């Protein structure tokens, strides 16, 4: 990463640190400056709020340059979607310092860890089509109360200084505000019908929602390209509230009467009423269906 040899001699690589000043609860410029000081190359720092697209940055990279992304899962989601179709031979590094950091967690990395290479994880990503628009996703697609939590959280974030407690939002939603839907889930052509569905995510990794593990056996970048859809259904409010915390440890799977995991490469989830949906934490409102497809046929 630091020095590259060429036929003309030694060429010093240049690094680009792209940071999201809004990512993470305690992130500040000092933390990013500390990263810069540790680089043994010329480094240019770029606040993501000052650029139109990550594509602009990638297009300016020379052969020896590298890119260091700082932020959370939303930062990665923006990057993979804004650079879709580009062949990026440069080294892409990642420094997780967002709020949830589910991608890093899936790779057994902690927030604030040493920057690590992520090129292999940006290839052959699955896609989801929602309202006739297609997105690539890093972690998963949430539909149901998880999408509702993101919707409420987005509203809270509009108030400066107000912190978002997704656990509290989920509990209040389960008890008072969110109403489950009936669903039809089609996996590789086979239809499954469910009543009173609380959540129905489709996952590429194991984690989403700041530490929830709906599909603990899902393996990112598995050779078959399989995705996992988890369905939490049939339970009443109190039973759902009792089971819900176990999602953070993957222990909800033992409640086989209410929880099922389906695996496939082509997954469509249809609700009988509009609900909020989230893609790697990015919220889309008033959705009745989504279609997730593996990149491996």
């Amino acid at each position: 990463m630091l020095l590259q040899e060429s036929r003309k001699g030694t060429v010093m690589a240049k690094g680009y640190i792209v940071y999201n000043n809004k990512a993470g609860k305690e992130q500040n410029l000092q933390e990013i400056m500390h990263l810069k000081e540790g680089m043994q190359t010329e480094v240019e720092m770029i606040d993501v709020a000052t650029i139109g697209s990550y594509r602009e940055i990638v297009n300016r990279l020379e052969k020896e340059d590298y890119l260091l992304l700082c932020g959370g899962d939303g930062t990665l989601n923006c990057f993979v979607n804004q650079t879709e179709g580009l062949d990026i031979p440069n080294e892409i590094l990642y420094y997780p310092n967002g709020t949830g950091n589910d991608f890093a967690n899936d790779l057994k990395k902690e927030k604030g860890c040493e920057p690590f290479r992520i090129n292999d994880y940006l290839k052959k990503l699955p896609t989801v089509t929602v309202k006739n628009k297609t997105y690539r996703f890093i972690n998963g697609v949430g539909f149901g109360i998880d999408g509702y939590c993101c919707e409420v959280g987005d509203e809270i974030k509009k108030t400066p200084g107000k912190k978002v407690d997704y656990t509290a939002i989920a509990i209040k939603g389960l008890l008072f505000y969110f109403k489950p839907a009936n669903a039809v889930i089609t996996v590789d052509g086979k239809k499954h019908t469910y009543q009173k569905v609380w959540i129905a995510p489709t996952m590429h990794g194991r984690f989403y929602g700041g530490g929830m593990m709906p599909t603990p056996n899902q393996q990112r970048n598995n050779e078959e390209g399989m995705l996992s859809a988890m369905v939490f259904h049939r339970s009443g409010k109190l039973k759902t509230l009792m089971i819900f915390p176990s999602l953070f440890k993957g222990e909800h799977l033992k409640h086989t009467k209410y929880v099922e995991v389906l695996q496939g490469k082509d997954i469509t989830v249809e609700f009988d009423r509009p609900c909020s949906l989230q893609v790697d934490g990015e919220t889309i409102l008033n959705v009745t269906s989504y279609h997730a497809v593996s990149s491996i046929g």
Side-chain angles (χ1 to χ4, degrees):
M1 180 180 76
L2 303 180
L3 290 174
Q4 298 288 337
E5 295 293 332
S6 74
R7 293 179 181 178
K8 295 182 180 180
T10 301
V11 178
M12 181 69 77
K14 180 177 180 180
Y16 291 85
I17 297 179
V18 185
Y19 63 98
N20 181 353
N21 210 29
K22 295 181 180 180
K25 295 180 180 179
E26 305 294 336
Q27 179 188 353
N28 55 51
L29 197 55
Q30 276 190 336
E31 188 177 340
I32 306 301
M33 289 299 296
H34 181 71
L35 278 179
K36 180 181 179 181
E37 293 169 1
M39 300 297 179
Q40 299 178 34
T41 62
E42 179 186 355
V43 175
E44 179 177 343
M45 294 178 59
I46 304 174
D47 185 346
V48 69
T50 67
I51 61 175
S53 169
Y54 285 104
R55 183 177 290 262
E56 296 177 15
I57 299 175
V58 171
N59 284 336
R60 78 168 77 164
L61 297 178
E62 298 293 338
K63 183 179 179 181
E64 299 83 10
D65 296 341
Y66 64 92
L67 184 63
L68 172 54
L69 301 173
C70 304
D73 300 299
T75 296
L76 291 176
N77 179 272
C78 287
F79 180 80
V80 299
N81 281 289
Q82 291 178 8
T83 60
E84 183 177 9
L86 292 182
D87 180 18
I88 308 176
N90 307 79
E91 188 169 35
I92 309 296
L93 304 175
Y94 179 53
Y95 177 72
N97 64 342
T99 302
N101 305 300
D102 290 306
F103 171 76
N105 191 18
D106 197 28
L107 300 180
K108 299 181 179 180
K109 302 285 187 178
E110 296 183 354
K111 178 178 180 178
C113 68
E114 187 76 14
F116 58 95
R117 189 177 188 274
I118 60 172
N119 293 64
D120 292 342
Y121 300 104
L122 305 183
K123 301 174 182 177
K124 297 181 179 180
L125 288 172
T127 61
V128 60
T129 300
V130 185
K131 291 185 173 181
N132 297 316
K133 186 172 181 180
T134 300
Y135 311 82
R136 293 200 291 174
F137 61 96
I138 288 282
N139 298 318
V141 181
F143 198 21
I145 196 166
D146 43 4
Y148 163 83
C149 290
C150 287
E151 177 186 357
V152 175
D154 289 346
E155 287 299 315
I156 294 175
K157 289 176 184 177
K158 293 179 182 179
T159 303
K162 199 166 184 180
K163 294 184 178 181
V164 180
D165 185 341
Y166 287 105
T167 301
I169 294 172
I171 292 173
K172 290 179 182 178
L174 285 170
L175 290 176
F176 307 111
Y177 304 115
F178 182 80
K179 306 299 181 185
N182 298 322
V184 175
I185 301 179
T186 306
V187 180
D188 294 340
K190 184 177 180 180
K191 289 188 176 183
H192 307 260
T193 303
Y194 301 92
Q195 306 296 314
K196 293 183 65 176
V197 175
W198 293 94
I199 49 176
T202 292
M203 303 296 297
H204 174 56
R206 291 178 297 159
F207 296 92
Y208 82 152
M212 287 196 295
M213 188 165 43
T215 55
N217 297 318
Q218 170 66 18
Q219 294 298 313
R220 183 183 298 273
N221 286 15
N222 65 83
E223 293 182 0
E224 297 82 9
M226 300 294 283
L227 303 174
S228 295
M230 187 274 282
V231 192
F232 190 167
H233 64 111
R234 291 180 60 194
S235 57
K237 289 183 179 181
L238 294 180
K239 189 66 176 181
T240 302
L241 192 59
M242 291 174 60
I243 296 174
F244 197 82
S246 65
L247 274 163
F248 289 89
K249 294 184 178 181
E251 295 177 352
H252 60 294
L253 296 187
K254 67 183 180 182
H255 299 279
T256 55
K257 181 179 178 180
Y258 307 107
V259 178
E260 184 176 359
V261 175
L262 307 168
Q263 284 196 311
K265 299 181 181 181
D266 189 305
I267 300 172
T268 298
V269 177
E270 301 170 275
F271 276 11
D272 65 353
R273 70 173 184 83
C275 292
S276 297
L277 174 146
Q278 61 90 10
V279 182
D280 291 335
E282 302 301 307
T283 312
I284 304 174
L285 305 178
N286 300 315
V287 176
T288 55
S289 67
Y290 72 83
H291 181 203
V293 181
S294 170
S295 63
I296 302 176

